[in-house]
Amino acid sequence: MTIGVFDSGLGGLTVLFRIRERLPDLPIIYLGDNGNAPYGTRSPEEIYQMTCRGVQVLFEKGCKLVIIACNTASAVALRKMQEEWVPNDKRVLGVFVPLIEKITERQWGDNSPPKKVSIRDVALFATPSTVASKAFERELGFRAIGVNVESQPCDGLVDAIELGDLYLAEQLVELYVDQLLQRLPKPEIIVLGCTHYPLVSNFFHKHFEKGVQMLDHADIVAESLKDYLIRHPDKVGEITDSICLTTGDPLYVKEKASMLAGIEVNFDKAV
Ligand code: DGL
């Protein structure tokens, strides 16, 4: 048994790689639902159904703990899954809360009332579904007072990344950064609120001054997972091999993933 990492496609690899750096002996099964990506423009019900299906595959492969390394699924489906669907002996964690705990200077699971924090202006780049869900603002509002979030939906950016079309990705980033800066000229923190976006973080970086902090989920989630497993060693299970699965065409997905990651990433078909 092992830990599962789920994403709509290739974006969760950014989280997988950081987990591997911190926990090199941890066996991980990655599942990319490339056959159904992108999720970011789908209805909440579709996202819920697809995410449950993907997580079920990981449960059936023996995972007791699954990280949903997809903001869209975390924002739109996770709460309902935890309330209505996840079996008692399994755990599903999302990527939103650890990042928000970081921004609001909180320890894991600190559920005390919202407080004033040092940050005022946050820029969030995310998929249209994540932005529409307002989950980021909701979770932030539970923990902090007086933080202004300016959200920018980045329609088409996940498709460009999944296709490996970096030229288009760069043009789209420029367009969306421009739109955001017109509404919030001086953000203090930039959140790359989609796990695909760190794959093209250099396109974001070049539009912001050096001092501006850019956060993505990968590091923060990997650190939180390490912490979680120290406190819940029963969730690790036996050591098996790590594998990457996809609902898409494994050869095609391998080619795109390896190009974006800069190392060979092999995929098997999820059945
Ligand atoms: N990586 C997913 C996320 O973090 C992409 C969603 C999509 O498939 O559109 O939101």
Side-chain angles (χ1 to χ4, degrees), residues 6-15 30 33 36-42 47 68-75 95-96 125-130 154 156-159 162 192-199 217:
F6 174 78
D7 184 57
S8 61
L10 300 175
L13 290 174
T14 56
V15 176
Y30 180 87
D33 193 9
N36 292 308
Y39 280 14
T41 45
R42 290 185 180 276
I47 295 169
I68 300 195
C70 173
N71 291 264
T72 305
S74 300
V95 286
F96 253 93
F125 292 93
T127 66
S129 295
T130 299
C154 303
L157 185 52
V158 167
D159 310 60
E162 285 280 316
L192 299 186
C194 167
T195 49
H196 281 70
Y197 301 170
L199 292 167
H217 300 270

Side-chain angles (χ1 to χ4, degrees), residues 151-265:
S151 301
Q152 177 62 49
C154 303
D155 199 5
L157 185 52
V158 167
D159 310 60
I161 296 168
E162 285 280 316
L163 288 168
D165 188 342
L166 296 181
Y167 177 75
L168 177 60
E170 189 168 9
Q171 307 292 309
L172 289 172
V173 169
E174 188 170 339
L175 173 74
Y176 294 133
V177 169
D178 207 54
Q179 288 183 2
L180 182 120
L181 288 177
Q182 286 179 29
R183 302 195 305 278
L184 184 67
K186 285 213 169 301
E188 292 166 81
I189 291 191
I190 314 296
V191 176
L192 299 186
C194 167
T195 49
H196 281 70
Y197 301 170
L199 292 167
V200 293
S201 60
N202 52 331
F203 298 157
F204 282 93
H205 271 292
K206 67 180 189 200
H207 297 287
F208 294 99
E209 288 164 19
K210 288 248 168 347
V212 180
Q213 205 184 346
M214 194 170 291
L215 294 180
D216 68 59
H217 300 270
D219 263 332
I220 297 168
V221 169
E223 199 49 50
S224 298
L225 176 65
K226 190 172 171 186
D227 204 51
Y228 179 87
L229 293 176
I230 291 170
R231 288 177 291 115
H232 299 86
D234 58 304
K235 290 287 184 285
V236 179
E238 302 152 17
I239 303 294
T240 55
D241 287 340
S242 290
I243 45 169
C244 291
L245 302 173
T246 176
T247 58
D249 170 5
L251 283 178
Y252 178 83
V253 173
K254 172 187 169 178
E255 185 197 320
K256 299 294 170 201
S258 305
M259 183 197 88
L260 289 164
I263 51 164
E264 190 171 285
V265 191

